[in-house]
Coordinates of all heavy atoms in Angstrom, one line a residue:
M1 N 143.2 180.1 69.3 CA 144.5 180.1 70.0 C 144.2 179.7 71.5 O 143.2 180.2 72.1 CB 145.2 181.5 70.0 CG 146.5 181.5 70.7 SD 147.4 182.9 70.3 CE 147.2 183.9 71.8
L2 N 144.9 178.8 72.0 CA 144.8 178.4 73.4 C 145.5 179.4 74.3 O 146.6 179.7 74.1 CB 145.3 177.0 73.6 CG 145.3 176.4 75.0 CD1 143.8 176.2 75.4 CD2 146.0 175.1 75.1
V3 N 144.7 179.8 75.3 CA 145.3 180.8 76.3 C 145.2 180.1 77.6 O 144.1 179.6 78.0 CB 144.5 182.1 76.3 CG1 145.0 183.1 77.3 CG2 144.5 182.7 74.9
W4 N 146.3 180.2 78.4 CA 146.3 179.6 79.7 C 145.2 180.2 80.6 O 145.0 181.4 80.6 CB 147.6 179.8 80.4 CG 147.7 179.2 81.8 CD1 147.6 179.8 82.9 CD2 147.8 177.8 82.1 NE1 147.7 179.0 84.0 CE2 147.8 177.7 83.5 CE3 147.9 176.6 81.3 CZ2 147.9 176.5 84.1 CZ3 148.0 175.5 82.0 CH2 148.0 175.4 83.4
G5 N 144.4 179.3 81.2 CA 143.3 179.8 82.1 C 142.0 179.7 81.4 O 140.9 179.8 82.1
D6 N 141.9 179.5 80.1 CA 140.7 179.3 79.4 C 140.0 178.0 79.8 O 140.7 177.0 80.1 CB 140.8 179.3 77.8 CG 141.0 180.7 77.3 OD1 140.9 181.7 78.1 OD2 141.3 180.9 76.1
I7 N 138.7 177.9 79.8 CA 138.0 176.7 80.1 C 138.0 175.8 78.8 O 137.7 176.3 77.7 CB 136.6 177.0 80.6 CG1 136.6 177.8 81.8 CG2 135.8 175.7 80.7 CD1 135.3 178.3 82.3
A8 N 138.3 174.5 79.0 CA 138.3 173.6 77.9 C 136.9 173.3 77.5 O 136.0 173.2 78.3 CB 139.0 172.3 78.3
N9 N 136.6 173.3 76.2 CA 135.3 173.0 75.6 C 135.3 171.5 75.2 O 135.9 171.1 74.3 CB 135.1 173.9 74.4 CG 133.7 173.7 73.8 OD1 132.9 172.8 74.3 ND2 133.4 174.4 72.8
L10 N 134.6 170.7 76.0 CA 134.5 169.3 75.8 C 133.3 168.8 75.0 O 133.0 167.7 74.9 CB 134.6 168.6 77.1 CG 135.8 168.8 78.0 CD1 135.8 168.1 79.3 CD2 137.1 168.5 77.2
S11 N 132.5 169.8 74.6 CA 131.3 169.4 73.9 C 131.5 169.0 72.4 O 132.6 169.3 71.9 CB 130.3 170.6 73.9 OG 130.7 171.6 73.1
F12 N 130.5 168.4 71.8 CA 130.6 168.0 70.4 C 130.3 169.2 69.5 O 130.4 169.1 68.3 CB 129.8 166.8 70.1 CG 130.2 165.6 70.8 CD1 129.4 164.9 71.7 CD2 131.5 165.1 70.6 CE1 129.8 163.8 72.3 CE2 131.9 163.9 71.2 CZ 131.1 163.3 72.1
N13 N 129.7 170.3 70.0 CA 129.3 171.4 69.2 C 128.3 171.1 68.1 O 128.3 171.7 67.0 CB 130.6 172.1 68.5 CG 131.5 172.8 69.5 OD1 131.0 173.3 70.5 ND2 132.8 172.7 69.3
H14 N 127.4 170.2 68.4 CA 126.4 169.9 67.5 C 125.2 169.4 68.2 O 125.3 168.9 69.4 CB 126.8 168.9 66.4 CG 127.0 167.5 66.9 ND1 128.1 167.0 67.4 CD2 126.1 166.4 66.9 CE1 128.0 165.8 67.8 NE2 126.8 165.4 67.5
W15 N 124.0 169.4 67.6 CA 122.8 168.9 68.3 C 122.6 167.5 67.9 O 123.2 167.0 67.0 CB 121.6 169.7 67.8 CG 121.3 169.7 66.3 CD1 121.8 170.6 65.4 CD2 120.7 168.7 65.6 NE1 121.4 170.3 64.2 CE2 120.7 169.1 64.2 CE3 120.0 167.5 65.9 CZ2 120.1 168.3 63.2 CZ3 119.4 166.8 64.9 CH2 119.5 167.2 63.6
A16 N 121.9 166.8 68.7 CA 121.6 165.4 68.5 C 120.1 165.1 69.0 O 119.7 165.7 70.0 CB 122.6 164.5 69.1
T17 N 119.4 164.2 68.3 CA 118.1 163.8 68.7 C 118.1 162.3 68.8 O 118.5 161.6 67.9 CB 117.0 164.3 67.7 OG1 117.1 165.7 67.6 CG2 115.7 163.9 68.1
D18 N 117.5 161.8 69.9 CA 117.4 160.3 70.1 C 116.0 159.9 70.1 O 115.1 160.6 70.6 CB 118.0 159.9 71.5 CG 119.5 160.0 71.6 OD1 120.1 159.7 70.6 OD2 120.0 160.4 72.6
I19 N 115.7 158.8 69.4 CA 114.4 158.1 69.4 C 114.7 156.7 69.9 O 115.6 156.0 69.3 CB 113.8 158.1 68.0 CG1 113.5 159.5 67.6 CG2 112.4 157.4 68.1 CD1 113.1 159.6 66.1
Y20 N 114.0 156.2 70.9 CA 114.2 154.9 71.4 C 113.0 154.2 71.9 O 112.0 154.9 72.1 CB 115.3 154.9 72.5 CG 114.9 155.7 73.7 CD1 114.2 155.1 74.8 CD2 115.1 157.0 73.8 CE1 113.8 155.8 75.9 CE2 114.8 157.8 74.9 CZ 114.1 157.1 75.9 OH 113.7 157.9 77.0
A21 N 113.0 152.9 72.0 CA 111.9 152.1 72.6 C 112.5 151.0 73.4 O 113.6 150.5 73.1 CB 111.0 151.6 71.5
S22 N 111.8 150.6 74.4 CA 112.3 149.5 75.2 C 111.1 148.7 75.8 O 110.0 149.2 75.8 CB 113.2 150.0 76.4 OG 112.4 150.8 77.2
G23 N 111.4 147.5 76.2 CA 110.3 146.6 76.7 C 110.9 145.5 77.6 O 112.1 145.2 77.5
T24 N 110.1 145.0 78.5 CA 110.5 144.0 79.4 C 109.4 142.9 79.5 O 108.2 143.3 79.6 CB 110.8 144.5 80.8 OG1 111.9 145.4 80.7 CG2 111.1 143.4 81.8
W25 N 109.7 141.7 79.5 CA 108.8 140.6 79.7 C 109.3 139.8 81.0 O 110.5 139.5 81.1 CB 108.7 139.7 78.5 CG 107.9 138.4 78.8 CD1 106.5 138.4 78.7 CD2 108.3 137.1 79.1 NE1 106.1 137.1 79.0 CE2 107.2 136.3 79.2 CE3 109.6 136.6 79.2 CZ2 107.3 135.0 79.5 CZ3 109.7 135.2 79.5 CH2 108.5 134.4 79.7
L26 N 108.4 139.6 81.9 CA 108.7 138.9 83.2 C 107.8 137.7 83.4 O 106.6 137.9 83.4 CB 108.7 139.9 84.4 CG 108.9 139.3 85.7 CD1 110.3 138.7 85.9 CD2 108.6 140.3 86.8
N27 N 108.4 136.6 83.6 CA 107.6 135.4 84.0 C 107.9 135.2 85.5 O 109.0 134.6 85.8 CB 108.1 134.2 83.2 CG 107.3 132.9 83.5 OD1 106.8 132.7 84.7 ND2 107.2 132.0 82.6
S28 N 107.0 135.6 86.3 CA 107.3 135.6 87.8 C 107.4 134.1 88.3 O 108.2 133.9 89.2 CB 106.1 136.3 88.5 OG 106.1 137.6 88.2
A29 N 106.7 133.2 87.8 CA 106.7 131.8 88.2 C 108.1 131.2 88.0 O 108.6 130.5 88.8 CB 105.6 131.0 87.6
A30 N 108.6 131.4 86.8 CA 109.9 130.9 86.5 C 111.1 131.8 86.9 O 112.2 131.4 86.9 CB 110.0 130.6 85.0
G31 N 110.8 133.1 87.2 CA 111.9 134.0 87.5 C 112.7 134.5 86.3 O 113.8 135.0 86.5
L32 N 112.1 134.3 85.2 CA 112.8 134.7 83.9 C 112.4 136.1 83.5 O 111.2 136.4 83.4 CB 112.5 133.7 82.8 CG 113.2 133.9 81.5 CD1 114.7 133.8 81.7 CD2 112.7 132.9 80.5
E33 N 113.4 136.9 83.1 CA 113.1 138.3 82.7 C 113.9 138.5 81.4 O 115.1 138.3 81.3 CB 113.5 139.3 83.7 CG 113.3 140.7 83.3 CD 113.8 141.7 84.4 OE1 114.0 141.3 85.5 OE2 114.0 142.9 84.0
L34 N 113.2 139.0 80.4 CA 113.8 139.4 79.1 C 113.6 140.9 78.8 O 112.4 141.3 78.9 CB 113.2 138.6 77.9 CG 113.2 137.1 78.1 CD1 112.4 136.4 76.9 CD2 114.6 136.6 78.1
S35 N 114.6 141.6 78.6 CA 114.5 143.0 78.3 C 115.3 143.4 77.0 O 116.3 142.8 76.8 CB 115.0 143.9 79.5 OG 114.3 143.6 80.6
A36 N 114.8 144.4 76.3 CA 115.4 144.8 75.1 C 115.2 146.3 74.9 O 114.1 146.8 75.3 CB 114.9 144.0 73.9
A37 N 116.1 147.0 74.3 CA 116.0 148.4 74.0 C 116.7 148.6 72.6 O 117.7 148.0 72.3 CB 116.6 149.3 75.0
T38 N 116.1 149.5 71.8 CA 116.7 149.9 70.6 C 116.5 151.4 70.4 O 115.5 152.0 70.9 CB 116.1 149.1 69.4 OG1 116.8 149.4 68.2 CG2 114.6 149.4 69.2
G39 N 117.3 152.0 69.6 CA 117.2 153.4 69.4 C 118.0 153.9 68.2 O 118.9 153.2 67.7
I40 N 117.8 155.1 67.8 CA 118.5 155.7 66.7 C 118.8 157.2 67.1 O 118.0 157.9 67.7 CB 117.7 155.7 65.4 CG1 118.5 156.1 64.2 CG2 116.4 156.4 65.5 CD1 118.0 155.7 62.9
T41 N 120.0 157.7 66.8 CA 120.4 159.0 67.1 C 120.8 159.7 65.8 O 121.6 159.3 65.0 CB 121.7 159.0 68.0 OG1 121.4 158.3 69.2 CG2 122.1 160.4 68.4
F42 N 120.1 160.9 65.6 CA 120.4 161.7 64.5 C 121.3 162.9 64.9 O 120.9 163.6 65.9 CB 119.1 162.3 63.9 CG 118.1 161.2 63.5 CD1 117.1 160.8 64.3 CD2 118.3 160.6 62.2 CE1 116.2 159.8 63.9 CE2 117.4 159.6 61.8 CZ 116.4 159.2 62.6
N43 N 122.4 163.0 64.3 CA 123.4 164.1 64.7 C 123.4 165.2 63.7 O 123.3 165.0 62.5 CB 124.8 163.5 64.7 CG 125.0 162.5 65.9 OD1 125.0 162.9 67.0 ND2 125.2 161.2 65.5
G44 N 123.5 166.4 64.3 CA 123.5 167.6 63.4 C 124.9 168.0 63.0 O 125.9 167.3 63.4
E45 N 125.1 169.1 62.3 CA 126.4 169.6 61.8 C 127.1 170.4 62.9 O 126.4 171.2 63.6 CB 126.2 170.4 60.6 CG 127.5 170.9 60.0 CD 127.3 171.7 58.7 OE1 126.5 171.2 57.9 OE2 127.9 172.7 58.6
D46 N 128.4 170.2 63.1 CA 129.2 171.1 63.9 C 129.4 172.4 63.2 O 130.0 172.5 62.2 CB 130.5 170.4 64.2 CG 131.4 171.2 65.1 OD1 131.2 172.4 65.3 OD2 132.3 170.5 65.7
T47 N 128.8 173.5 63.8 CA 128.8 174.8 63.1 C 130.2 175.4 63.1 O 130.5 176.2 62.2 CB 127.9 175.7 63.8 OG1 128.2 175.8 65.2 CG2 126.4 175.3 63.6
A48 N 131.1 174.9 64.0 CA 132.5 175.5 64.0 C 133.3 174.9 62.9 O 134.2 175.6 62.3 CB 133.1 175.3 65.4
T49 N 133.2 173.6 62.7 CA 134.0 172.9 61.7 C 133.3 172.4 60.4 O 133.9 171.9 59.5 CB 134.7 171.7 62.3 OG1 133.7 170.8 62.7 CG2 135.5 172.1 63.5
H50 N 132.0 172.5 60.4 CA 131.1 172.1 59.4 C 131.2 170.6 59.2 O 131.0 170.1 58.1 CB 131.4 172.8 58.1 CG 131.2 174.3 58.2 ND1 130.0 174.9 58.4 CD2 132.1 175.3 58.2 CE1 130.1 176.2 58.5 NE2 131.4 176.5 58.4
Y51 N 131.6 169.9 60.2 CA 131.7 168.4 60.2 C 130.3 167.8 60.6 O 129.7 168.3 61.5 CB 132.7 167.9 61.1 CG 132.8 166.4 61.2 CD1 133.5 165.7 60.2 CD2 132.3 165.6 62.2 CE1 133.6 164.3 60.2 CE2 132.4 164.3 62.2 CZ 133.1 163.6 61.2 OH 133.2 162.3 61.2
K52 N 129.8 166.8 59.9 CA 128.6 166.2 60.2 C 128.8 164.7 60.5 O 129.4 164.0 59.7 CB 127.6 166.3 59.0 CG 126.2 165.6 59.3 CD 125.1 166.3 58.6 CE 123.8 165.7 58.8 NZ 123.5 164.8 59.9
N53 N 128.4 164.3 61.7 CA 128.5 162.9 62.2 C 127.4 162.1 61.5 O 126.4 162.6 61.1 CB 128.3 162.8 63.7 CG 129.5 163.4 64.4 OD1 130.6 163.3 64.0 ND2 129.2 164.0 65.6
G54 N 127.6 160.8 61.5 CA 126.6 159.9 60.9 C 125.5 159.6 61.9 O 125.5 160.0 63.0
T55 N 124.5 159.0 61.4 CA 123.4 158.5 62.2 C 123.8 157.3 62.9 O 124.4 156.4 62.3 CB 122.1 158.3 61.3 OG1 121.8 159.5 60.7 CG2 120.9 157.9 62.2
E56 N 123.4 157.2 64.2 CA 123.8 156.0 65.0 C 122.6 155.1 65.3 O 121.5 155.7 65.6 CB 124.4 156.5 66.3 CG 125.6 157.4 66.2 CD 126.0 158.1 67.5 OE1 125.7 157.6 68.5 OE2 126.6 159.2 67.4
F57 N 122.8 153.8 65.3 CA 121.7 152.9 65.6 C 122.3 152.0 66.8 O 123.4 151.5 66.7 CB 121.4 152.0 64.5 CG 120.4 150.9 64.8 CD1 119.0 151.2 65.0 CD2 120.8 149.6 64.9 CE1 118.1 150.2 65.3 CE2 119.9 148.6 65.3 CZ 118.6 148.9 65.5
Q58 N 121.5 151.8 67.8 CA 121.9 150.9 68.9 C 120.8 150.0 69.3 O 119.6 150.3 69.2 CB 122.4 151.8 70.1 CG 121.4 152.7 70.7 CD 121.4 154.1 70.1 OE1 122.2 154.4 69.3 NE2 120.4 154.9 70.5
I59 N 121.2 148.8 69.7 CA 120.3 147.8 70.2 C 121.0 147.1 71.4 O 122.2 146.8 71.3 CB 119.9 146.8 69.1 CG1 118.8 145.9 69.6 CG2 121.1 146.0 68.6 CD1 118.1 145.1 68.5
E60 N 120.3 146.8 72.4 CA 120.8 146.0 73.6 C 119.7 145.2 74.2 O 118.5 145.4 74.0 CB 121.4 147.0 74.6 CG 120.4 148.0 75.2 CD 121.0 149.0 76.1 OE1 121.5 150.0 75.6 OE2 121.0 148.7 77.3
G61 N 120.2 144.1 74.9 CA 119.2 143.3 75.5 C 119.8 142.5 76.7 O 121.0 142.4 76.8
T62 N 119.0 142.0 77.5 CA 119.4 141.2 78.7 C 118.5 140.0 78.9 O 117.3 140.1 78.5 CB 119.4 142.0 80.0 OG1 118.1 142.4 80.3 CG2 120.3 143.2 79.9
I63 N 119.0 139.0 79.4 CA 118.2 137.8 79.9 C 118.7 137.6 81.3 O 119.8 137.4 81.6 CB 118.6 136.5 79.0 CG1 118.2 136.8 77.6 CG2 117.8 135.3 79.6 CD1 118.7 135.6 76.7
D64 N 117.7 137.7 82.2 CA 118.0 137.6 83.7 C 117.2 136.5 84.3 O 116.0 136.2 83.9 CB 117.6 138.9 84.4 CG 118.3 140.1 83.9 OD1 119.6 140.0 83.7 OD2 117.7 141.1 83.6
Q65 N 117.9 135.8 85.2 CA 117.2 134.7 85.9 C 117.2 135.2 87.4 O 118.2 135.4 88.0 CB 118.0 133.4 85.8 CG 117.4 132.3 86.6 CD 116.0 131.9 86.2 OE1 115.7 131.6 85.0 NE2 115.0 131.9 87.1
H66 N 116.0 135.3 87.9 CA 115.8 135.7 89.3 C 115.7 134.4 90.2 O 114.9 133.5 89.8 CB 114.5 136.5 89.5 CG 114.6 137.8 88.8 ND1 115.1 139.0 89.3 CD2 114.2 138.1 87.5 CE1 115.0 139.9 88.4 NE2 114.5 139.4 87.3
F67 N 116.5 134.3 91.2 CA 116.5 133.2 92.1 C 115.6 133.4 93.3 O 115.2 134.5 93.5 CB 118.0 132.9 92.6 CG 118.9 132.6 91.4 CD1 119.8 133.5 91.0 CD2 118.9 131.4 90.8 CE1 120.7 133.3 90.0 CE2 119.8 131.1 89.8 CZ 120.7 132.1 89.4
S68 N 115.3 132.3 94.0 CA 114.4 132.4 95.2 C 115.2 133.2 96.3 O 116.4 133.3 96.2 CB 114.0 131.0 95.7 OG 115.2 130.4 96.2
K69 N 114.4 133.7 97.2 CA 115.0 134.4 98.3 C 115.9 133.5 99.2 O 116.7 134.0 99.9 CB 113.9 135.1 99.2 CG 113.2 136.2 98.4 CD 112.2 136.9 99.2 CE 111.5 137.9 98.4 NZ 110.6 138.7 99.1
A70 N 115.7 132.2 99.1 CA 116.6 131.3 99.9 C 118.0 131.3 99.3 O 118.9 130.9 100.0 CB 116.0 129.9 99.8
F71 N 118.1 131.7 98.1 CA 119.5 131.7 97.4 C 119.9 133.2 97.5 O 119.5 134.1 96.8 CB 119.3 131.3 96.0 CG 120.7 131.2 95.3 CD1 121.5 130.1 95.5 CD2 121.1 132.2 94.4 CE1 122.7 129.9 94.9 CE2 122.4 132.0 93.8 CZ 123.1 130.9 94.0
D72 N 120.8 133.5 98.5 CA 121.1 134.8 98.9 C 122.6 135.0 98.8 O 123.4 134.2 99.4 CB 120.6 135.1 100.3 CG 120.7 136.6 100.7 OD1 121.1 137.4 99.8 OD2 120.3 136.9 101.8
F73 N 123.1 136.1 98.2 CA 124.5 136.4 98.1 C 124.9 137.4 99.2 O 126.1 137.7 99.4 CB 124.9 137.1 96.8 CG 125.0 136.1 95.7 CD1 124.1 136.1 94.6 CD2 126.0 135.1 95.6 CE1 124.2 135.2 93.6 CE2 126.1 134.2 94.6 CZ 125.2 134.3 93.6
A74 N 124.0 137.9 100.0 CA 124.3 138.9 101.0 C 125.2 138.3 102.1 O 124.9 137.2 102.6 CB 123.0 139.5 101.6
P75 N 126.2 139.0 102.5 CA 127.1 138.5 103.6 C 126.3 138.4 104.9 O 125.4 139.3 105.2 CB 128.2 139.5 103.7 CG 127.7 140.7 103.0 CD 126.7 140.3 102.0
K76 N 126.5 137.5 105.7 CA 125.8 137.3 107.0 C 126.5 138.2 108.0 O 127.7 138.3 108.1 CB 125.9 135.8 107.5 CG 125.3 134.9 106.5 CD 123.8 135.2 106.2 CE 123.3 134.2 105.2 NZ 122.1 134.7 104.6
R77 N 125.7 138.9 108.8 CA 126.2 139.8 109.9 C 126.6 138.9 111.1 O 125.9 138.0 111.5 CB 125.2 140.8 110.3 CG 124.8 141.7 109.1 CD 123.9 142.8 109.6 NE 124.5 144.0 109.2 CZ 124.2 145.2 109.8 NH1 123.4 145.3 110.7 NH2 124.9 146.3 109.4
V78 N 127.7 139.2 111.6 CA 128.2 138.5 112.8 C 128.3 139.5 113.9 O 129.0 140.5 113.8 CB 129.6 137.9 112.5 CG1 130.1 137.2 113.7 CG2 129.5 136.9 111.3
D79 N 127.7 139.2 115.0 CA 127.8 140.0 116.2 C 129.0 139.7 117.0 O 129.2 138.5 117.5 CB 126.5 139.8 117.1 CG 126.5 140.7 118.3 OD1 127.4 141.6 118.4 OD2 125.5 140.6 119.1
P80 N 130.0 140.6 117.1 CA 131.2 140.3 117.8 C 131.1 139.9 119.3 O 131.9 139.3 119.9 CB 132.1 141.5 117.7 CG 131.2 142.6 117.2 CD 130.0 142.0 116.7
G81 N 129.9 140.3 119.9 CA 129.7 140.0 121.3 C 129.1 138.6 121.5 O 129.1 138.1 122.7
S82 N 128.7 137.9 120.5 CA 128.2 136.6 120.7 C 129.2 135.5 120.3 O 130.0 135.7 119.5 CB 126.9 136.4 119.9 OG 127.2 136.4 118.5
N83 N 129.0 134.3 121.0 CA 129.9 133.2 120.7 C 129.3 132.2 119.9 O 128.3 131.7 120.0 CB 130.5 132.7 122.0 CG 131.5 133.7 122.6 OD1 132.1 134.4 121.9 ND2 131.6 133.7 123.9

């Protein structure tokens, strides 16, 4: 029963274990970076409802191109006292 003033329970009421691996390869001369990560999550049973979530698998990756320092997105500072 919900009683006014009780704290809401936002947890999943079950344990979970994650196993993951990741790696990055960088070619400094070309400025190319490749990164990838993969993992698996094992979920336990919710003891309050006896519900069991499935096992989750995730994979993600990025391909990044690093530009030279001459290619800069930073805004230029302007001194209001100079003309």
Side-chain angles (χ1 to χ4, degrees):
M1 181 167 105
L2 179 63
V3 178
W4 180 256
D6 283 353
I7 297 175
N9 183 358
L10 300 178
S11 72
F12 291 120
N13 292 324
H14 72 275
W15 60 265
T17 301
D18 288 323
I19 300 171
Y20 62 91
S22 62
T24 298
W25 174 78
L26 175 64
N27 181 331
S28 299
L32 182 63
E33 178 181 344
L34 305 173
S35 296
T38 187
I40 190 165
T41 303
F42 300 98
N43 291 295
E45 182 178 316
D46 182 337
T47 56
T49 63
H50 302 291
Y51 179 78
K52 179 147 179 19
N53 289 326
T55 301
E56 303 166 25
F57 174 75
Q58 59 271 354
I59 187 166
E60 58 185 87
T62 63
I63 301 172
D64 299 314
Q65 177 64 53
H66 298 272
F67 299 104
S68 70
K69 291 184 180 184
F71 189 77
D72 190 5
F73 282 113
K76 304 299 179 200
R77 297 184 126 202
V78 177
D79 184 4
S82 66
N83 291 330

